[in-house]
Amino acid sequence: MLIKDVLCPFCGCLCDDLAVEVDNNKVVDVQHACKIGSSKIMGHDRIKAPMMRDDKKGEFREVSYDEAINEAAKILANSKRPLLYGWASGVCEMMKKGVLLNEEVGGIIDNTASVCHGPSALGVHEKGMPTGTLGQFANRADVVVFWGCNPVQAHPRHMSRYSVFAKGFFATKARRGRKVIAIDVRKTDTAELADEYIQVNPGMDYIVMSALRAIIAEHADVVPDNVGGVPKEKLVEIAETLKNAKFGVIYFGMGLTQSRGKYKNIDNAVSLTTELNAFTKYSIIPMRGHYNVTGFGNVCAWETGFINAVDMSRGYPYYNPGETCSNDLLMREEIDAAFIIAGDAGAHFPAQSIARMGKVPVVQIDPFHNPTTEMANIVIPTKVSGVELEGTAYRMDGVSLRMRKLVDVDFPSDEEVLDKIIAKVCEIKGASA
Amino acid sequence: MSELLIKNATVYDPINGINGDKMDIAVKDGKIVDSIGGGAQTIDAQGRLVYPGGVDAHTHIAGSKVNVGRIMRPEDSRSGIKPMTKITRPYTGYTVPNVYAMGYRYAEMGYTTAFEAAIPILKARHTHEELEEIPIIDKGGLTLFGSNWMVMDAIRENDLERLAAYVAWGLLASRGWGIKIVNPGGGEAWGFGKNVSGLDDPVPNFEVTPRQIIRSLAEANERMNLPHSIHLHCNNLGHPGNYETTLDSFDICKDIKPKRDRQALHVTHVMFNSFGGNNWGDVQSKADVIADYLNSHDHLTIDMGQMIFGSATTMTADGPVQYANARTFKARWANGDVELEDVSGVTPLYYSPQVYFYGMMWGIGQELALLTKDPWKVLLTTDHPNGGPFVNYPEVITLLMSKKKREEAISKIVPKAFEHCMIHTIDRELDWYDIAIKTRAGHAKVLGLIEQGKGHLGVGADADIAIYDIKPDETDATTEYDRVKAAFRKAAYTIKGGQIVVKDGEITATPMGRTYWVKTTVNNGGYDRMMEDLKMKFRQYYSVNMGNYMVQDEYVQHPVVVETEYAEV
């Protein structure tokens, strides 16, 4: 059976044009996807059953779902400062349960953006975000900037579907009608494909943006001969290109959000975009990683008022990044239990945070074994969303789509596991109250 | 079988002509009935004010622009906080509350229905995800068509059948209730950073004018026999001198014959479109001219878009306006272009009473309501959260009911404001019956919801009832406005579908509300022509596949589907 219009559960492009051949309840072929997406849909080694161990250095033993869920609920119910982290590789339906669970346990809910595009959110708090949907950019953009991102590797179909090679209503010449500028500290494969590559010295993005803003505001006289490794004449040339666009778009990645300057880089990039709108039309958009990390930000915002890092210990949502993000809490050794779902803290957190996770009970909910598993006390495997489960995901531009189910499996969904944990937590807390 | 009897109520039910009558109201299984048995639960209203549940025909409560507002404004979410309880989830926010506060606060004020005023089709799934999370109240939404390529292409080719077929498909795809038009044509122009200036300014690349867009959609609306009329946000919003465009826009639909007992045109938040003058120095209220038009024509209704001093989060599909606001006030700016369909923008503003044109805007909203004779023609809204948050409706009610209250408010506003408007010269004071029209009956009529049992207390209507802790017979609203405001702020009881959801201003139950949408059948050649065009646009220009575009049933868990059929006029 060939299933069409399948959504890809890999990156923030959330490509929805895949065709998947399913034979005998097994995925046998994936068409149109990139290699990474295809690999995820084809499937690989799964955690076969729930597992527990008392000693993190000990061996896991297989247990029933009920036992694992009850123990996980006990850990959360008895914790004074639990962290509920991850949420990016799942569907919105489970995220809603996550927010509810966080209310019940009075913990902190935070998602993978915390170590990724979290600073972009702070940039939005400061300056907003003039943006649009990816199709708008495909139809109109004649100047495309990739700043601190490398879609060739991280979002393999981005350039062909939306940004560089895509034809559009106004962009009839596709690649030939587009000026592509890559700005990065190293010459990535994306930079290789660009018309212009601007090499910025590491950590100097902010002043390069400031120089561009000064030139665009007709204050080129204050710009020194060389800014962050870029000659002034090059910056003047780029500023002209930017201003002369019919429609420009700036795609940015973790080269901006996680380098020196962090959220201030985004603040500055949004200011640059806003100012360019005085000349022509400009948009800016973060290149989101996980296929539904954007979904968590949306769900969390409409349910709590805040985009991530929400502390419910007061009985109402409290948000203060720098204080309530996962690594702030782990490094201060506040966290006394960690609940990691649909995200891999073990692979991405700094050593100091990992050290704290080594000292507290860790519950992991994930279909796959990953570095977080090495720190876990309880591991509960679930369905792979978008392959074994349908549900909602948000593309990097905020367009929400419904992911399809391709095959049937016996694993429970994240949502089902969370429902049971919530019920058990309420039971324990009710008994102790 | 649940039964409820409200005894000794002082009832205002304008749709049924009930004006302060002392009566009992019987409820059975969520509906108003003639009478019930003796065993029913009884509420003794003790002569207190009883209205049908409030209906809001124009508010922004769900969808990507609202959520962008939340994300952009953590400082806003830090206000209005109320911790979770055994019954309620936590409240946050003032201008952009979280989904729970949206439902709870409407219910606390005796409102039971609210319609989201702008759904972009491509983002409709998101809108419904939020609507589904808003507790208690019934909902619906209006779908954006004013800068849509499918719409403009059909209009350019003068193919009304194809236009109607697409609108029907768009309402189905977005699960929408009606046609919203925002700054017609301007959204497409904003795709390249431009705008349209007037009704006859052609939309770049599409060779149609805003006038043609409004007229054609109004005609299609009637052919489809939709419950609501077209819902128009005029061109040139917020510009000095824009009242002329507004009057011209009114005129476009003058000879449209509505198929139902309602207006042919609803024009929204007219406060922002009633400016005279040439610039911000000589800007002035033209609310009197707008009201004169309303007083001499019967084909249209409007809502006020009353401005409230303090913090606001402006959000609209009028993208160019938001960019101008952000530039003028050096404010944060979020823009949201939606491919092939529309645009939007979000900008936080602060309406200070010390800025004279804000004072003037405050005056205009009330002038529109007070200078228009027929209360059914002007609905009470704040265009939440553009003019201000909906929680301020009690403030607006008291301003309309009391000249003394207005004088007190005027004394706190920079005097220069009143060189630019006329609110200080108006003596009219509305009564309880007028307020019932402006906050529920009128909204239900304008939206086409009367036959759905909304906005009234006739037998068979939904048992959505508000009891306010005030006795009309013993209260002089013209002087006791603080008491009136307090009563409307926290209903003594809100009853939703026969269930008590608010008692003494506190939430007591959180049932899920329903979502209303319209399904129109179009059986003519226009449908095939439309589908051919639509498939081409999906293949070539949309970034999502057609098979993934339409909102699935899963996103509307409690639907009420109204079916209509296309017919030539």
Side-chain angles (χ1 to χ4, degrees), chain A residues 11 50-51 77 113 126 188 201 280 334 340 391 401 404 408 422 424:
Chain A
C11 82
M51 307 183 292
E126 297 276 306
T188 61
N201 290 342
T280 179
E334 277 185 32
I340 315 290
L401 295 167
R404 283 162 201 270
D408 286 312
I422 291 166
K424 190 72 192 173

Side-chain angles (χ1 to χ4, degrees), chain A residues 134 136-147 158-159 162-166 170-183 194-196 198 212 216 235 237-252 272-273 276-277 279-285, chain B residues 191-192:
Chain A
L134 293 168
Q136 181 81 334
F137 309 151
N139 279 316
R140 295 179 197 258
D142 61 341
V143 169
V144 174
V145 180
F146 294 106
W147 202 321
H158 191 276
M159 289 175 133
Y162 311 119
S163 52
V164 175
F165 304 105
F170 299 102
T172 50
K173 292 185 190 162
R175 176 69 184 93
R176 282 180 293 123
R178 288 197 172 100
K179 182 94 172 169
V180 179
I181 302 167
I183 306 176
D195 299 302
E196 291 276 359
I198 311 298
L212 282 172
I216 287 162
L235 289 170
E237 195 187 313
I238 295 294
E240 276 307 302
T241 305
L242 295 177
K243 275 166 67 176
N244 290 326
K246 283 202 185 79
F247 186 110
V249 56
I250 300 170
Y251 298 96
F252 69 96
L272 171 66
T273 310
L276 282 165
N277 273 279
F279 302 92
T280 179
K281 186 67 183 292
Y282 259 84
S283 282
I284 182 166
I285 177 169
Chain B
F192 281 119

Side-chain angles (χ1 to χ4, degrees), chain A residues 22-23 35 69 72 119 156 178 191 199 211 292 315 325 342 387 394 399 409:
Chain A
V22 175
D23 188 24
K35 278 188 179 171
I69 284 167
R178 288 197 172 100
Q199 185 159 29
N292 197 21
C325 288
V387 179
Y394 280 66
V399 170
V409 292

Side-chain angles (χ1 to χ4, degrees), chain A residues 5-7 16-17 92-93 96 99-100 103-104 121 124-136 139-140 161-162 167-170 246-247 274-275 277-278 281-283 297-299 301-307 312 314-317 319-321 390-392 394-395 397-402 404, chain B residues 64 67-68 70-75 77-78 81-84 88-92 96-100 122-127 129-130 133 149 187-193 204-206 323 326-327 331-340 342-343 540-549 552 554-555:
Chain A
D5 299 329
V6 172
L7 278 81
D16 74 328
D17 60 343
C92 294
E93 289 75 3
K96 294 173 196 169
V99 173
L100 181 60
E103 286 173 16
E104 296 298 342
V124 176
H125 300 341
E126 297 276 306
K127 291 285 161 60
M129 183 68 55
T131 190
T133 65
L134 293 168
Q136 181 81 334
N139 279 316
R140 295 179 197 258
R161 265 173 78 80
Y162 311 119
K167 260 192 192 174
F169 185 80
F170 299 102
K246 283 202 185 79
F247 186 110
T274 303
E275 287 156 15
N277 273 279
K281 186 67 183 292
Y282 259 84
S283 282
N298 274 294
V299 171
W302 78 56
E303 303 220 332
T304 72
F306 305 108
I307 189 164
M312 273 300 294
R314 294 158 173 82
Y316 60 82
Y319 164 80
N320 191 22
E390 62 178 70
T392 316
Y394 280 66
R395 202 165 68 180
D397 58 356
V399 170
S400 88
L401 295 167
R402 187 160 188 85
R404 283 162 201 270
Chain B
S64 59
N67 226 23
V68 164
R70 295 184 186 109
I71 292 168
M72 186 158 65
R73 304 199 68 187
E75 80 281 10
S77 297
R78 289 183 182 113
I81 285 171
K82 203 169 167 184
M84 56 189 276
T88 54
R89 307 279 296 262
Y91 297 57
T92 61
V96 277
N98 64 339
V99 284
Y100 309 115
L122 181 59
K123 293 189 167 180
R125 197 172 289 96
H126 177 166
T127 308
E129 277 202 280
E130 286 194 35
E133 294 280 298
W149 291 9
E188 168 49 36
W190 182 242
F192 281 119
N205 305 305
F206 283 86
Y323 176 65
R327 291 278 291 182
R332 282 168 278 178
W333 176 47
N335 183 68
D337 289 5
V338 181
E339 63 205 53
L340 282 77
D342 227 301
V343 297
Q540 299 193 13
Y541 308 127
Y542 266 109
S543 66
V544 298
N545 276 3
M546 202 166 157
N548 289 318
Y549 180 83
Q552 292 87 350
E554 285 86 348
Y555 296 92

Side-chain angles (χ1 to χ4, degrees), chain B residues 214-235:
Chain B
I214 296 167
R215 176 76 197 189
S216 305
L217 283 171
E219 286 179 15
N221 196 90
E222 298 314 327
R223 290 192 188 194
M224 295 165 68
N225 192 19
L226 297 181
H228 184 35
S229 67
I230 59 166
H231 195 112
L232 175 66
H233 157 139
C234 291
N235 299 98

Side-chain angles (χ1 to χ4, degrees), chain B residues 399-413:
Chain B
L399 287 168
L400 297 178
M401 293 187 90
S402 165
K403 181 165 168 59
K404 190 160 172 254
K405 162 81 180 175
R406 291 199 292 273
E407 282 166 355
E408 185 190 288
I410 285 167
S411 71
K412 295 172 187 162
I413 298 167

Side-chain angles (χ1 to χ4, degrees), chain A residues 287-351:
Chain A
M287 300 282 269
R288 306 306 301 272
H290 294 277
Y291 69 88
N292 197 21
V293 65
T294 309
F296 181 84
N298 274 294
V299 171
C300 197
W302 78 56
E303 303 220 332
T304 72
F306 305 108
I307 189 164
N308 66 350
V310 176
D311 180 352
M312 273 300 294
S313 62
R314 294 158 173 82
Y316 60 82
Y318 173 79
Y319 164 80
N320 191 22
E323 181 190 351
T324 59
C325 288
S326 304
N327 287 292
D328 307 323
L329 295 153
L330 285 163
M331 287 183 180
R332 283 202 309 273
E333 303 198 338
E334 277 185 32
I335 294 303
D336 63 356
F339 182 86
I340 315 290
I341 177 167
D344 186 3
H348 300 118
F349 280 6

Side-chain angles (χ1 to χ4, degrees), chain B residues 351-368:
Chain B
Y351 296 127
S352 164
Q354 297 310 312
V355 175
Y356 72 83
F357 52 81
Y358 288 150
M360 175 198 76
M361 285 159 65
W362 177 87
I364 292 175
Q366 298 165 68
E367 290 163 11
L368 291 167

